[in-house]
Amino acid sequence: YRDLHAFELQAPTRLIEWARGNRVCVAGYGQSGGNEILQLIPPPTLQAKESQGLCPERDFKVECGGFSKRPVYSLKYVPDTSLLVTSGPPDSSLQVWQVSAEDSDVIKPVSTIVTENGTGQPWAKIATISARAPWVLHGSRLDSVQITEVELRKNVYMAASRDSEELSGLAFLDCNTLLLCCAKGRLCLADVRQPQGPVEAVAVPPAPCGERWCMGTVCGAAGSGLSSQPVARLSSRGLLTLTDLRKPSEPVASAKARVPSPGAGAEFLCVSQAPALEGCLAVSGFDGTVHVYDTQSWDSCGREAEPMFVHKGHALGGAGGSGDPPLVTVHTWHPEKPRTVLSAASDGSLHVWDWVEPCGKC
């Protein structure tokens, strides 16, 4: 490692979100009431533009926090505001939170966005943007995708689809174009400029049946639309594919991640592409590790790939509260520092790490 910081949370977290001022937001996902939502100040070394050498302060600090009565399965910061949006069981509604001003240390709930026919539906996947206004894209199934103006709680877009397939993720490609990933691996596009417009399936090769899939797009690509940056997909068997949305029928590359088979449900699958490091992506959700891969040498044959770095810190930290080995529940890249990654695990551990650059590698 070039650098490694650790912070122990009071409860397991399944999400990490970068907020304004280089802050980090985390939240718990326990089924009982009182799940914490925290905004953390990263260690000074993580906030510095350049390496500052030795630093006496090497820990995260809690800046403000609040409590959610329901599990928090997804959390997104609304750009250019002081608002957070969360979702979680038992339905597909959203909760909107106000991160308080400097004279307060409270994150308080301010409103709820209730979706039509949301009762009994899975929890909603969410994405946010502030290109025109503070918008949240949300939905749990293809036929329930919509955009809501956060502050006014006004519906500004509803996609049209007769397919009720469950979603595993969604994203803004730009302020007009939406990308949706189904749990079975299908990718779909929608255009905000077409109210009640159809959700169009992208012509990617069919995914193997019986697997659960998730997707990862480059965070820094918002506003670029159908760019040359491929979309990464990860299956519950560890299959990885890269797809250029401009030519989706021809996979850019594919590989098999060197990971064990996950438990039933594969609910913590996570794949993400480095926003400041070309050709690198990270994979987690199979065990207590995070694997980083250099995709620039991949082809379309789907061979097993050798990770360029494996973070084992959570696995070596000991068993969680249940006695089971810790499982990495989520990871995310620093938006500016090329090799800096944050990861969280089921034992409440939060790590931020930066590995030494291998010779001749990215």
Side-chain angles (χ1 to χ4, degrees):
Y1 293 95
R2 185 189 301 275
D3 208 355
L4 172 64
H5 302 270
F7 184 70
E8 296 301 322
L9 300 166
Q10 294 300 310
T13 179
R14 65 177 291 156
L15 36 91
I16 307 170
E17 175 75 358
W18 287 101
R20 63 178 180 175
N22 201 32
R23 300 310 198 245
V24 177
C25 294
V26 298
Y29 63 89
Q31 295 300 318
S32 59
N35 291 288
E36 283 188 306
I37 299 178
L38 302 175
Q39 180 165 287
L40 308 175
I41 302 175
T45 54
L46 193 64
Q47 302 181 64
K49 296 287 186 183
E50 300 176 357
S51 176
Q52 301 295 306
L54 293 176
C55 181
E57 293 289 339
R58 297 185 55 82
D59 208 350
F60 288 86
K61 292 184 178 180
V62 177
E63 183 174 36
C64 53
F67 289 94
S68 171
K69 294 181 180 179
R70 61 170 65 198
V72 182
Y73 277 29
S74 186
L75 178 151
K76 292 293 179 181
Y77 164 65
V78 184
D80 304 322
T81 72
S82 58
L83 300 175
L84 301 172
V85 180
T86 65
S87 67
D91 53 39
S92 62
S93 65
L94 309 182
Q95 290 69 51
V96 182
W97 303 79
Q98 175 77 52
V99 179
S100 300
E102 295 180 358
D103 59 347
S104 174
D105 60 358
V106 176
I107 298 177
K108 59 182 179 181
V110 292
S111 64
T112 299
I113 298 174
V114 179
T115 55
E116 185 177 355
N117 300 322
T119 302
Q121 287 200 16
W123 58 277
K125 283 64 179 180
I126 54 180
T128 55
I129 196 172
S130 287
R132 298 174 182 170
W135 282 0
V136 56
L137 168 66
H138 56 106
S140 58
R141 302 185 185 278
L142 268 181
D143 58 0
S144 66
V145 174
Q146 62 187 78
I147 296 175
T148 302
E149 207 280 82
V150 178
E151 295 175 323
L152 301 178
R153 286 180 288 171
K154 177 184 177 182
N155 181 272
V156 296
Y157 171 81
M158 178 74 76
S161 176
R162 296 180 179 178
D163 196 327
S164 61
E165 188 172 346
E166 183 181 353
L167 292 172
S168 63
L170 36 70
F172 284 100
L173 293 181
D174 57 27
C175 61
N176 295 316
T177 312
L178 315 177
L179 178 63
L180 318 172
C181 181
C182 297
K184 294 181 180 179
R186 190 157 56 112
L187 294 176
C188 299
L189 291 171
D191 194 322
V192 173
R193 293 164 294 189
Q194 301 177 13
Q196 295 294 329
V199 174
E200 299 180 0
V202 180
V204 296
C209 297
E211 297 183 35
R212 189 172 181 87
W213 291 76
C214 65
M215 75 170 180
T217 58
V218 175
C219 299
S224 59
L226 301 184
S227 70
S228 59
Q229 183 65 45
V231 174
R233 289 180 299 159
L234 169 68
S235 84
S236 53
R237 282 180 49 209
L239 299 178
L240 284 159
T241 64
L242 300 178
T243 302
D244 185 339
L245 294 177
R246 300 170 304 172
K247 298 182 295 182
S249 60
E250 304 173 5
V252 174
S254 61
K256 175 71 167 64
R258 185 172 290 184
V259 293
S261 298
E267 60 178 330
F268 297 118
L269 284 182
C270 183
V271 58
S272 64
Q273 299 186 72
L277 199 61
E278 185 179 358
C280 283
L281 60 78
V283 168
S284 67
F286 295 89
D287 54 16
T289 65
V290 182
H291 289 213
V292 180
Y293 293 91
D294 178 5
T295 68
Q296 296 181 87
S297 62
W298 290 4
D299 54 28
S300 59
C301 296
R303 300 185 182 93
E304 184 173 274
E306 179 74 26
M308 60 182 295
F309 185 80
V310 179
H311 174 60
K312 300 179 180 179
H314 298 286
L316 299 175
S322 64
D324 298 324
L327 172 68
V328 173
T329 54
V330 69
H331 72 266
T332 188
W333 296 81
H334 192 286
E336 298 173 355
K337 295 180 178 290
R339 288 182 303 279
T340 299
V341 181
L342 282 84
S343 55
S346 56
D347 61 352
S349 58
L350 174 66
H351 292 179
V352 55
W353 39 279
D354 187 343
W355 73 95
V356 176
E357 182 178 6
C359 291
K361 296 287 186 180
C362 62

